[in-house]
Amino acid sequence: MDKKEFNSFFKPYAKNVDNASKLAFWKLSDALIFKIIKQNIPTNINASATIMDVGGGTGRWVVKLSAEYKCKFIIYDLSEDMIKRAKQNIKEVKLDDRVLMIYGDIRNMKKVSNASVDHIISIYNPISFIYENEQAIKELYRILNPGGKIIIMGHGYYNAIASKINNYVVSADELIRLAETYRVKWNPYVPDLVTYSKESMETLLQQVGFTIVNTYGIPIFVQPGPEDFDPENKKKSRISKVLEDQTFFDAVFELEMKHNSNSLLSNRGMNILTCAVKM
Ligand SMILES: C[S@@+](CC[C@H](N)C(=O)[O-])C[C@H]1O[C@@H](n2cnc3c(N)ncnc32)[C@H](O)[C@@H]1O
């Protein structure tokens, strides 16, 4: 993806992404991710430890995590619009003394020293925007401290196929292209995204030296409605409406958490999230 395409995609995204969790589908998805982060990176890590949010965007995960983690954070991102928004968000919640922001590309993290970060999170699929994914994962391995965990998320391959058949009813050509290349195009304004199965994500991480801890599908049972992708987050899908009922939300959350790392089910995930460790 060239720089112009990249910037024109993330400029409007930076304005709206912080509102997305108002929709119950995204609220549920965020709650699942947050729970999994806490299961894999203990909240009582040292205050001097650092969690880097790679492709951290507007800093919304750092803001969320800072309420439960007393450590330091780095937001690393390649979009000037995202970083600009992150600076405002971090200032608003008075986190400046705990958060460093780095503008840069995951494929070449020259501003970050070897083994200088204690844990890495990378949420909502920065790795799906990168075609040179092995190079990117190598960089993440290099900067992580031995013993450190990485929690990384990419678009789900099998869910993309299911969605293209059932929701978009695309041509046979498009389906075959997706199946063969693992790349999906959701609409003309979104660049081709790299999708992952549990196996391809785990292989990518293992190839550079990581040891797999667990892989989850996010979510595996709940399917978003088309309105959940409204770029302005103004429309509301049927599922987002029903998930506003807290009892239903809690029941779905429990079911998702009970089964989302079952190796027979995680490939149902709209997104694939893997936790791995650098030994
Ligand atoms: C879909 S957004 C997710 C943002 C954030 N993690 C969240 O959950 O709200 C993907 C992010 O990945 C960043 N990104 C994509 N390719 C990147 C690259 N090569 N280097 C650094 N950041 C990148 C984008 O700028 C964007 O902020």
Side-chain angles (χ1 to χ4, degrees), residues 131-190:
Y131 305 142
E132 302 81 2
N133 49 10
E134 196 175 330
Q135 194 182 321
I137 299 292
K138 266 190 197 152
E139 279 294 78
L140 297 177
Y141 188 81
R142 177 184 68 75
I143 65 163
L144 194 60
N145 250 329
K149 298 241 178 82
I150 179 168
I151 294 178
I152 186 162
M153 198 166 160
H155 266 280
Y157 172 69
Y158 293 103
N159 177 78
I161 294 177
S163 180
K164 284 289 187 184
I165 295 172
N166 296 295
N167 303 330
Y168 294 84
V169 198
V170 296
S171 66
D173 279 354
E174 185 173 344
L175 270 184
I176 292 164
R177 183 179 153 270
L178 161 58
E180 285 175 355
T181 63
Y182 273 64
R183 292 194 191 171
V184 66
K185 186 145 197 98
W186 291 117
N187 66 51
Y189 318 105
V190 183

Side-chain angles (χ1 to χ4, degrees), residues 6 10 13 17 53-58 60-61 76-79 82 104-107 123-126 129-130:
F6 185 86
F10 283 110
Y13 190 96
V17 63
D53 188 353
V54 171
T58 59
R60 65 194 194 92
W61 285 97
Y76 187 97
D77 205 283
L78 187 59
S79 157
M82 290 294 219
D105 194 323
I106 307 168
R107 292 168 294 189
I123 309 299
Y124 288 122
N125 314 339
F129 291 85
I130 298 175

Side-chain angles (χ1 to χ4, degrees), residues 25-77:
F25 171 79
W26 294 111
K27 194 173 155 201
L28 176 81
S29 178
D30 283 3
L32 294 166
I33 296 164
F34 200 14
K35 178 87 179 175
I36 291 166
I37 294 175
K38 287 190 284 184
Q39 280 179 346
N40 286 285
I41 303 176
T43 49
N44 62 359
I45 55 169
N46 214 304
S48 60
T50 305
I51 299 178
M52 179 186 273
D53 188 353
V54 171
T58 59
R60 65 194 194 92
W61 285 97
V62 165
V63 171
K64 256 189 224 285
L65 262 55
S66 68
E68 300 200 31
Y69 290 82
K70 298 294 159 236
C71 63
K72 302 204 178 312
F73 295 94
I74 300 173
I75 298 170
Y76 187 97
D77 205 283

